[in-house]
Amino acid sequence: MEKSYKEYLKHITTFIFDVDGVLTDGRVTIDSHGELLRTMNVKDGYAMKTALLQGYNLCIISGGTNEGVRNRLAALGITDIFLGAHHKIHQFKEYVEKYTIQPENVLYMGDDIPDIPVMKKVGLPTCPQDAVAEVREVSNYISFKNGGDGAVRDVIEQVLKVQGKWMRDFDAKKA
């Protein structure tokens, strides 16, 4: 009998996310200078920053090369950002070796074919609701949210809640 994805949540120490289709809705707007513009959800950003502050590892592996994406993610405190990654398994292996992370403690969220090799190596492969069929087939959890619409927040919040770290340092009396 296959384990429920919820059984993996308590062992997650590391989050790895794709960008296009996960942190964004997968659409790009092209401005008059040919620059590709993306939109990210601030609730995903809040969850990523919270995970970092709670001591989780967080890494981005994307095929995209937009430096604006790097700047946005770096502003949240993310230091491990791999852009231009066409064979994501290489960056994944480099990252887990660098920090001595066990793959079974990794939650990876992807949405398209290039994500599958990494998804097959991690403890908890996940995807947004609108991921392609092939990715949905290898995912242990499919978010009820689409990419760019809170799917990242969904998985981070679930892990932190199970581990007793969601809103741990929030004091409603000070708000």
Side-chain angles (χ1 to χ4, degrees), residues 13-29:
T13 63
T14 304
F15 297 98
I16 302 178
F17 299 108
D18 178 27
V19 173
D20 293 321
V22 173
L23 284 165
T24 75
D25 65 7
R27 293 185 282 179
V28 293
T29 300

Side-chain angles (χ1 to χ4, degrees):
M1 180 185 218
E2 192 173 316
K3 285 185 184 180
S4 161
Y5 83 93
K6 290 189 177 202
E7 295 176 46
Y8 291 95
L9 297 177
K10 61 187 170 199
H11 303 292
I12 298 302
T13 63
T14 304
F15 297 98
I16 302 178
F17 299 108
D18 178 27
V19 173
D20 293 321
V22 173
L23 284 165
T24 75
D25 65 7
R27 293 185 282 179
V28 293
T29 300
I30 305 167
D31 73 9
S32 62
H33 303 289
E35 186 71 26
L36 301 179
L37 307 174
R38 294 158 173 85
T39 302
M40 292 185 181
N41 189 310
V42 295
K43 291 175 184 158
D44 288 341
Y46 174 80
M48 289 188 292
K49 189 170 187 98
T50 299
L52 287 168
L53 291 172
Q54 292 295 339
Y56 291 86
N57 305 307
L58 206 149
C59 175
I60 303 297
I61 304 176
S62 175
T65 58
N66 185 297
E67 287 301 313
V69 168
R70 182 188 307 278
N71 294 340
R72 162 68 178 146
L73 297 170
L76 295 172
I78 301 168
T79 56
D80 294 285
I81 303 168
F82 298 94
L83 300 181
H86 300 293
H87 300 286
K88 297 178 181 188
I89 195 72
H90 301 304
Q91 288 80 10
F92 169 75
K93 287 179 180 177
E94 177 185 326
Y95 179 72
V96 296
E97 287 173 15
K98 178 180 178 181
Y99 294 104
T100 319
I101 296 167
Q102 298 303 310
E104 60 266 20
N105 299 123
V106 175
L107 179 153
Y108 183 93
M109 181 173 270
D111 72 305
D112 210 344
I113 305 298
D115 298 305
I116 292 174
V118 177
M119 294 177 79
K120 289 183 173 182
K121 297 287 184 192
V122 301
L124 185 53
T126 67
C127 68
Q129 178 68 37
D130 58 347
V132 300
E134 295 86 351
V135 167
R136 293 168 60 89
E137 287 174 16
V138 299
S139 293
N140 283 14
Y141 174 71
I142 300 170
S143 177
F144 66 99
K145 297 281 194 173
N146 285 338
D149 192 31
V152 168
R153 166 85 177 241
D154 172 33
V155 294
I156 291 175
E157 189 173 326
Q158 285 191 61
V159 169
L160 271 63
K161 282 181 176 178
V162 163
Q163 295 183 15
K165 295 180 180 179
W166 184 252
M167 293 182 58
R168 174 196 263 173
D169 298 329
F170 182 77
D171 183 349
K173 294 177 185 171
K174 294 180 184 176

